[in-house]
Amino acid sequence: MASIKDVARRSGVSISTVSYVFTGKRSVKLETRIRVFEAARELGYFPNVGAQMLRNGRTHIIALSSPIHSYTNFTNYAAFFFEMVRAAHRHHFHVLLFAGEDEDEQFVRFADSNLVDGVVLLDVAWNDERIQRAKLASVPYVSIGMPMDSENLIAVDVDFEEVGRVAIDRLAESGHKEILFVGSDQSVDSKSKDVTESNYLHRITASIQAQARRRGITVHSVLTKGDDYSSVRCLLADTFDQHDEITGMITQTSIEFVNNAIGVLQLIGRPIPERTSIVSLASYGKTEMLPVQIDEMPLLPAAVCSKAMQLLIGALDGEAPRAGHIELLHPTYIDRGSIRRV
Amino acid sequence: MASIKDVARRSGVSISTVSYVFTGKRSVKLETRIRVFEAARELGYFPNVGAQMLRNGRTHIIALSSPIHSYTNFTNYAAFFFEMVRAAHRHHFHVLLFAGEDEDEQFVRFADSNLVDGVVLLDVAWNDERIQRAKLASVPYVSIGMPMDSENLIAVDVDFEEVGRVAIDRLAESGHKEILFVGSDQSVDSKSKDVTESNYLHRITASIQAQARRRGITVHSVLTKGDDYSSVRCLLADTFDQHDEITGMITQTSIEFVNNAIGVLQLIGRPIPERTSIVSLASYGKTEMLPVQIDEMPLLPAAVCSKAMQLLIGALDGEAPRAGHIELLHPTYIDRGSIRRV
DNA sequence: GTGAAAGCGCTAACAG
DNA sequence: CTGTTAGCGCTTTCAC
């Protein structure tokens, strides 16, 4: 494995010059620079990251902490992985993946060993154990998702309070009075006895209820365990049977649920959008490929991850305050005409 | 950040002793050992990985190269991520994630920079560009999936030839003569002009055809683009309309497809398993939660990743030959009674 | 059972 | 515009 010394010798310059050629932190005569690059190429030289880490005290690696819950939606998760990697690469950072049930113990081992410059917490639950550690850690943490105890924390997320509010407003403005809210059931993590809801369902639900009360609207809430056709049929058939008065629907579910709901509602004589108005919240996936165009307020993994990375870099550079920064992203409402005046 | 020096000073021993206490490569008096650990704990000391890398020439990090194709199934993908992380952690390795479309260029930058001790290639296509690089690289590569050019390569995968063979055999032995094969459409990657099929569909298809010919069975092949209810209904209704003689079905699709197929077949008067026999290949997901129990030959992400890690470690330790090792894992047939005698 | 010291590859301060 | 050199934190050989 060729080292900087070899390159220096071969190109007839000193090692510091080679270093400066590669870091670009000092101007080097073009001719020399070319000779150095040439030599490096010939020798197959790459700077040794270990040495750089040691010297610079920076690894340019972030940890992505991704616990698996019973309700974890892998599709959404993968989207965040990919977007996080993209965001990190844009800033020349690498991503170390920590995932799974045993995630916790692994975590302890590395978090302070200077392997990573910072940590991004994915899928932060309403009361997440990791938050305690975040506050004691020697490297900056950024939480994606807002936990209950968000004091003194760097966190990014879509503003789900606003999501709920806007969803209700849209339906209310079109005259809907009786609304069905369907959330995916993820109330209890199999492992812990605590209620560790994924934070955004919690926040959306609360904000929907509050806004509905404010506008004098009735919200019927149900949770769904399965997103397959027959589960959806049972759920919706039952609900609309008991509550014929429902005209609008808000879903916070997988895209499969929505897809099946389209079919079921058609079947029970309440087609979207003619007889049922609908908006899908916190969705991710190829929504535009559904047989019926559906309004949505999507998850924004790209925006969230990008912002998370920004905040992390800021904390590393000491530009931003190292803690206590909560950034709520403005949600997007995509109007596809699935809400009709009633 | 406390260093080994600080620990040495505080515990009144030399730095080499501290080092030996942590590596365990030399016996140290119990009393001393305790003093060292105590001091380390008090100072919050963790060995600096950068320095260890520099010194040992090993980073204990592997790269996981995960390109995104148009047909990428995120659920399956995430499963491999998680299993790979688990397998790596078992061997005290970390996992650096490389994912996305721009994956390639990123890849070049790091692959030889001593950041990783080895590379695992995920979702290797039938003719995958990454294979060339694998052969020239200075660190060992392990391919998950078999590319066309598998010469001189370390690769692990389920034996999909056997999967196809067994599926046909099972149906044949129950007297089925006319079989429908449904594959997920992933024939062409949107980005490249080449046909870059995910390798296993290619291999399953070929082996099914061959075995069917051998046993005098007719296989009708179709590809599916959508796995949602209406797509599935169209596809199956059409197919069974034209080929009333079909009694058996082999799917290599998402679990959603299978779920919808159960409903559709019921609807068109060909319920599983009474009138239609079925086996699902290369599946991953909560198959046992389907409304009808379905035979399957699942993907084995845990086994595959575990074996990949083993081979990688072998290559690193120079125990195994550094190249040319192809390991095909024996598939499992899970019999749930969805194949009936005809 | 323990310590002293060389050196891994790199960066950057200092010197020219 | 370029070179010399100290030192980052660790492991390991050699010496006791």
Side-chain angles (χ1 to χ4, degrees):
Chain A
M1 203 89 312
S3 85
I4 199 171
K5 259 188 196 156
D6 304 312
V7 180
R9 198 166 336 118
R10 181 159 188 126
S11 49
V13 297
S14 73
I15 56 167
S16 68
T17 299
V18 176
S19 175
Y20 285 120
V21 166
F22 274 87
T23 61
K25 291 194 179 170
R26 186 157 93 173
S27 64
V28 175
K29 214 205 305 181
L30 178 64
E31 196 195 338
T32 322
R33 217 161 47 208
I34 292 176
R35 274 224 316 286
V36 168
F37 277 132
E38 200 111 295
R41 207 181 36 72
E42 283 164 14
L43 293 168
Y45 167 77
F46 281 88
N48 181 305
V49 246
Q52 286 179 320
M53 287 180 187
L54 178 56
R55 184 58 233 233
N56 297 334
R58 283 285 175 87
T59 65
H60 276 254
I61 299 178
I62 61 165
L64 189 58
S65 162
S66 324
I68 302 179
H69 300 111
S70 52
Y71 56 79
T72 299
N73 178 331
F74 281 16
T75 306
N76 289 3
Y77 233 55
F80 277 94
F81 287 174
F82 294 148
E83 293 299 343
M84 205 60 232
V85 168
R86 285 182 58 174
H89 283 180
R90 273 203 302 276
H91 295 272
H92 305 292
F93 272 74
H94 292 295
V95 174
L96 213 53
L97 185 59
F98 288 81
E101 319 81 35
D102 59 339
E103 205 247 317
D104 241 52
E105 62 181 285
Q106 303 291 343
F107 215 65
V108 178
R109 286 223 329 268
F110 83 94
D112 285 296
S113 62
N114 308 302
L115 214 201
V116 300
D117 290 338
V119 178
V120 172
L121 301 177
L122 224 54
D123 196 22
V124 172
W126 186 239
N127 52 359
D128 200 299
E129 304 166 327
R130 294 172 294 169
I131 297 300
Q132 331 284 3
R133 239 201 317 288
K135 297 185 176 179
L136 300 172
S138 55
V139 296
Y141 275 55
V142 174
S143 160
I144 291 190
M146 282 254 299
M148 188 170 52
D149 170 17
S150 60
E151 204 182 355
N152 237 14
L153 186 73
I154 309 184
V156 205
D157 209 349
V158 173
D159 187 341
F160 285 110
E161 270 85 11
E162 190 182 343
V163 168
R165 215 160 47 228
V166 170
I168 288 289
D169 284 349
R170 285 277 180 152
L171 284 163
E173 281 155 18
S174 291
H176 296 270
K177 294 284 179 210
E178 300 280 337
I179 291 171
L180 172 63
F181 172 72
V182 185
S184 28
D185 188 1
Q186 46 189 233
S187 47
V188 179
D189 186 345
S190 54
K191 236 178 85 182
S192 101
K193 270 162 245 149
D194 289 333
V195 176
T196 57
E197 294 180 5
S198 173
N199 66 84
Y200 64 85
L201 176 57
H202 189 276
R203 284 150 59 206
I204 287 181
T205 311
S207 120
I208 282 180
Q209 296 294 356
Q211 186 71 354
R213 213 172 309 118
R214 237 172 275 137
R215 305 197 62 137
I217 282 174
T218 312
V219 173
H220 308 266
S221 282
V222 293
L223 291 178
T224 169
K225 269 210 163 96
D227 294 352
D228 56 298
Y229 190 78
S230 48
S231 305
V232 175
R233 198 178 47 190
C234 289
L235 183 79
L236 293 185
D238 273 18
T239 309
F240 280 92
D241 232 40
Q242 288 169 36
H243 298 285
D244 188 54
E245 68 276 18
I246 291 174
T247 58
M249 217 173 132
I250 299 174
T251 58
Q252 184 277 291
T253 62
S254 70
I255 191 165
E256 283 81 29
F257 181 94
V258 176
N259 188 21
N260 288 323
I262 292 171
V264 169
L265 289 172
Q266 171 87 40
L267 195 76
I268 64 178
R270 294 174 169 276
I272 299 171
E274 292 82 5
R275 296 231 19 232
T276 313
S277 288
I278 189 170
V279 53
S280 164
L281 308 185
S283 48
Y284 179 81
K286 294 174 186 163
T287 318
E288 67 282 2
M289 289 183 67
L290 290 171
V292 173
Q293 293 298 297
I294 299 284
D295 285 17
E296 62 172 329
M297 302 188 73
L299 280 180
L300 305 166
V304 168
C305 291
S306 187
K307 182 53 93 178
M309 199 61 215
Q310 247 171 268
L311 290 177
L312 197 54
I313 302 264
L316 284 172
D317 295 351
E319 288 168 6
R322 184 117 161 185
H325 189 116
I326 309 288
E327 186 113 3
L328 293 179
L329 269 49
H330 221 60
T332 320
Y333 190 99
I334 304 177
D335 190 337
R336 297 207 182 86
S338 69
I339 292 188
R340 291 276 174 92
R341 179 148 286 284
V342 76
Chain B
M1 204 89 311
S3 85
I4 198 170
K5 257 188 198 158
D6 304 312
V7 180
R9 194 160 348 112
R10 182 165 189 119
S11 50
V13 297
S14 72
I15 54 170
S16 67
T17 300
V18 177
S19 174
Y20 285 122
V21 166
F22 274 87
T23 61
K25 293 194 179 168
R26 185 157 94 174
S27 64
V28 175
K29 214 206 302 179
L30 178 64
E31 195 194 337
T32 320
R33 218 160 45 204
I34 291 175
R35 272 222 318 286
V36 168
F37 277 132
E38 200 110 295
R41 207 180 38 71
E42 282 163 14
L43 294 167
Y45 167 77
F46 283 89
N48 180 305
V49 234
Q52 286 179 319
M53 285 180 188
L54 179 56
R55 186 59 235 237
N56 298 332
R58 281 284 175 89
T59 66
H60 276 256
I61 298 177
I62 61 164
L64 189 58
S65 162
S66 324
I68 303 178
H69 301 110
S70 52
Y71 56 78
T72 300
N73 178 331
F74 280 16
T75 307
N76 289 3
Y77 233 57
F80 277 95
F81 287 173
F82 294 148
E83 293 300 343
M84 205 61 231
V85 168
R86 287 181 58 174
H89 283 180
R90 273 203 303 275
H91 294 271
H92 305 290
F93 271 74
H94 292 294
V95 175
L96 213 52
L97 185 59
F98 288 80
E101 319 81 34
D102 59 338
E103 204 247 315
D104 242 51
E105 61 181 286
Q106 303 291 345
F107 214 65
V108 177
R109 286 220 332 267
F110 83 95
D112 284 296
S113 62
N114 308 301
L115 214 200
V116 299
D117 289 340
V119 177
V120 173
L121 302 176
L122 223 55
D123 197 22
V124 172
W126 185 239
N127 52 358
D128 200 301
E129 304 166 326
R130 294 173 294 169
I131 297 301
Q132 331 285 2
R133 238 199 320 287
K135 297 187 176 179
L136 300 171
S138 56
V139 296
Y141 276 54
V142 173
S143 161
I144 291 190
M146 282 254 298
M148 188 171 51
D149 171 17
S150 60
E151 204 181 355
N152 238 16
L153 185 73
I154 309 185
V156 204
D157 209 349
V158 173
D159 187 342
F160 285 109
E161 269 86 11
E162 189 181 343
V163 168
R165 214 160 49 228
V166 171
I168 287 290
D169 284 350
R170 284 277 180 149
L171 285 164
E173 282 156 16
S174 291
H176 297 270
K177 294 283 178 210
E178 300 280 336
I179 291 172
L180 174 62
F181 172 72
V182 184
S184 30
D185 190 1
Q186 46 190 230
S187 47
V188 179
D189 185 345
S190 54
K191 237 179 85 184
S192 99
K193 272 161 244 151
D194 288 333
V195 176
T196 57
E197 293 177 6
S198 171
N199 66 83
Y200 64 83
L201 176 58
H202 189 277
R203 283 148 61 205
I204 288 181
T205 311
S207 119
I208 283 181
Q209 295 295 355
Q211 186 71 355
R213 213 172 308 117
R214 238 172 273 136
R215 304 197 63 138
I217 281 174
T218 312
V219 174
H220 308 266
S221 281
V222 293
L223 292 179
T224 169
K225 271 210 162 96
D227 293 353
D228 56 297
Y229 189 78
S230 48
S231 304
V232 175
R233 197 179 47 188
C234 288
L235 183 79
L236 293 186
D238 273 17
T239 309
F240 280 93
D241 232 40
Q242 287 168 36
H243 297 286
D244 188 55
E245 68 276 19
I246 292 174
T247 59
M249 218 172 128
I250 299 174
T251 59
Q252 184 275 291
T253 63
S254 70
I255 192 164
E256 284 81 31
F257 181 95
V258 176
N259 188 21
N260 288 324
I262 292 172
V264 168
L265 289 173
Q266 171 87 37
L267 195 75
I268 63 177
R270 294 173 169 278
I272 299 171
E274 294 81 6
R275 297 237 9 236
T276 313
S277 289
I278 190 170
V279 53
S280 164
L281 307 185
S283 48
Y284 179 80
K286 295 171 185 162
T287 318
E288 67 282 2
M289 290 183 66
L290 289 171
V292 173
Q293 293 299 297
I294 300 285
D295 285 19
E296 64 173 328
M297 303 188 72
L299 279 181
L300 305 166
V304 167
C305 291
S306 186
K307 182 52 94 177
M309 199 62 216
Q310 243 171 272
L311 290 177
L312 198 54
I313 302 264
L316 284 171
D317 295 351
E319 286 169 8
R322 181 107 165 199
H325 189 116
I326 309 289
E327 186 112 4
L328 293 179
L329 270 49
H330 220 61
T332 321
Y333 190 100
I334 305 177
D335 191 336
R336 296 205 182 88
S338 69
I339 291 188
R340 291 277 175 91
R341 178 148 287 286
V342 76

